[in-house]
Amino acid sequence: MSIAPAFRTAATQATFVDITVDGRSLRVVADSTLAAALLAAGIDRFGPGLAPGQTMQPFCLMGTCFQCIATIDGIAHQRTCRVVVRAGMDVRLAGALPG
Amino acid sequence: MSAEPRVVIVGAGPAGANAALALAAAGVRSIVIDDNPRAGGQIFRVGPNDAIGPVKPDPRGVRLRARLAERADMIEHRAGHEVIGATPERRLTVAPPDGPVVSLDADALVIATGAVEVSVPVPGWTLPGVFGLGGLQILLKQSALVPDRPVVLGGTGPLLYLVAAQMVKTGARLAAVVDAADWPSPRHLLGLAAMPKLLRQGIGHLLALKRAGVPIHRRAAIAAIDGADGVAAVRIARLRPDWSAESAPDATIACGIVGVGFGVRPNVELTGLIGCAHLYDPATGGWVVRRDEDLATSIPGVYAIGDGAAIGGVENALAEGTIVAASILRRLGRPTPAGLVDRATGARRRKTRRTRFRAAINGWSGLRDGIFTLAAFDTIVCRCEGVTRAAIESAAASGFDELRAAKLHSRAGMGLCQGRVCGDAAARIVAHAAGVAVEAAGMPRARLPLRPVAFSNVAAPKS
């Protein structure tokens, strides 16, 4: 789900790259981590968790919690907080479901 | 194996990087494995582009990275590599950013894996918009993201005030700071004065918050986070001296982003996996690595330094990097340059000062176990497996009074993060429900592989 982003970018000399998230094209700040890019785009939940009603989304942002995982270019369980965006990156958000 | 000894350092934060630099200066090569794209650890973390954001990179981190690059002849920095396994024989299994895992044998192994933020589950902490305190800071430092909704920060310790001051400085609307601790007592302030520069910085952060008119709640905690599909408000509860809630939450603060962090503990998953001895010392972060004067662990040839061994802060991490380099030179039978001997001696001498400072930080803001009773029975404690406090308590009540057993029974800590987030809470919940001390419940342990790896990268055919 996408609403008004909870964050604004304060990047001083931003350049942009295009990525694809669940089939939708998205322009994001280059040199940003994927987790940060998605948050900046207003994507604030990355999929369902295992408990009823639970959602998964970035929490620790330092590679510890695995709450921000996504399938990137076909490889499942990637921590989006550890991955820097690349032009053409294909991202699938599935949460705790098999990616 | 070649005649040249192989020194492997895990972690390129201040401790690990400084150890590598000191060894390089003494003519000893090392391999530094680090899971981040750039060296500096969490404290000196930057994005791929130093100049991207409103927060200037810490000059000490900039210097550290420059010095590592200068010594690329002696230091092989493997960035983005993760250690997923290790044995007492000092054989590491390392996962590169892509491609099959590799095996690495070390004559001397230095573990400098840094700290993990302590998380406290409360109702609503799994809502979108709730982040670790360190996480909010990383969004700012690494990716130049500033909260665009009112923020409430909660928890305890110096990081709370540092992040709060950075939020104010970058123009975020900080609605409140909620600190579980009281004001530092005169005795604590005296201890904090052992590191005058850090004390001055702390006072600076506090003044910045005062100037911005940010309300600071003390002896209080964010006891619940409300919202339908994202954060809408937090509820604040006053705390008893043991940090359990004095009564039901009595104040509601509207906000859209919450940052919570209750200090840090050593990341002991690698020393735990190898089988190094640990001891329980709440003053330096809970489960810490047992070490001798040389910073050697109970396993021969394995050293542990910095916050990954016992919480001591960045100055201590830098000092231990120097000390361990001297220890390793002795182990390898190499001459120790006079300069390094002096610096190691100096680093040991200044330890008293650092210990006094650390004791004051802990006396003022050290975690108290009552905080872990804020979770309601239906609060998710283990986010990976969606396990509630009630499920962990029922496992503990059916006789699984050891963390390991309760984990197997409830699945808490069995998910992808291996209990790195919920371990602190799960251990307290088990101990509390079983009526045993938290150290009796046992140290949370991670299993091989420490990080998920694609099966194809483990089972790759021998070429």
Side-chain angles (χ1 to χ4, degrees), chain A residues 68-80:
Chain A
C68 68
I69 53 172
T71 298
I72 303 172
D73 295 332
I75 303 172
H77 294 158
Q78 300 291 298
R79 283 162 283 169
T80 57

Side-chain angles (χ1 to χ4, degrees), chain A residues 81-97:
Chain A
C81 70
R82 295 184 71 245
V83 174
V84 175
V85 291
R86 291 183 306 268
M89 189 177 250
D90 180 55
V91 183
R92 311 244 159 214
L93 300 174
L97 303 176

Side-chain angles (χ1 to χ4, degrees), chain A residues 1-15 29-67 69 75-79 81-86 95-96, chain B residues 34-37 42 45 47-49 51-54 80-82 97 115-117 119 125-136 138-140 142-149 170-172 229-230 256-257 260 380 382-387 416-418 420-421 450-452 454:
Chain A
M1 173 177 295
S2 180
I3 41 169
F7 293 88
R8 62 183 168 82
T9 177
T12 38
Q13 24 177 283
T15 53
V29 174
D31 288 340
S32 146
T33 65
L34 178 55
L38 296 177
L39 288 171
I43 298 172
D44 64 354
R45 64 205 74 182
F46 286 23
L50 288 182
Q54 184 198 356
T55 57
M56 285 175 73
Q57 60 277 324
F59 177 69
C60 81
L61 279 315
M62 56 182 95
T64 303
C65 77
F66 285 78
Q67 295 292 297
I69 53 172
I75 303 172
H77 294 158
Q78 300 291 298
R79 283 162 283 169
C81 70
R82 295 184 71 245
V83 174
V84 175
V85 291
R86 291 183 306 268
Chain B
D34 189 75
D35 63 350
N36 290 296
Q42 302 303 341
R45 181 187 274 269
N49 178 352
I52 195 172
H81 291 237
E82 292 192 291
V116 186
E117 192 162 43
S119 295
W125 79 305
T126 54
L127 281 170
V130 182
F131 299 91
L133 210 46
L136 272 188
I138 285 169
L139 285 175
L140 191 62
Q142 184 173 8
S143 297
L145 283 197
V146 180
D148 206 16
R149 294 176 186 168
T170 50
D229 45 22
I257 289 183
V260 278
I380 292 168
C382 165
R383 300 167 78 116
C384 296
E385 296 288 308
V387 183
L416 283 174
C417 101
Q418 296 216 38
R420 277 181 280 268
V421 175
L450 293 177
R451 301 287 184 278

Side-chain angles (χ1 to χ4, degrees), chain B residues 121-198:
Chain B
V122 301
W125 79 305
T126 54
L127 281 170
V130 182
F131 299 91
L133 210 46
L136 272 188
Q137 192 196 32
I138 285 169
L139 285 175
L140 191 62
K141 284 204 288 194
Q142 184 173 8
S143 297
L145 283 197
V146 180
D148 206 16
R149 294 176 186 168
V151 183
V152 174
L153 299 180
T156 190
L159 186 66
L160 179 60
Y161 294 93
L162 171 60
V163 177
Q166 287 173 328
M167 288 291 152
V168 166
K169 197 176 160 205
T170 50
R173 283 163 292 162
L174 186 53
V177 171
V178 187
D179 190 345
D182 206 337
W183 287 102
S185 71
R187 193 168 52 86
H188 297 147
L189 284 170
L190 205 65
L192 294 176
M195 304 283 256
K197 200 175 142 199
L198 292 180

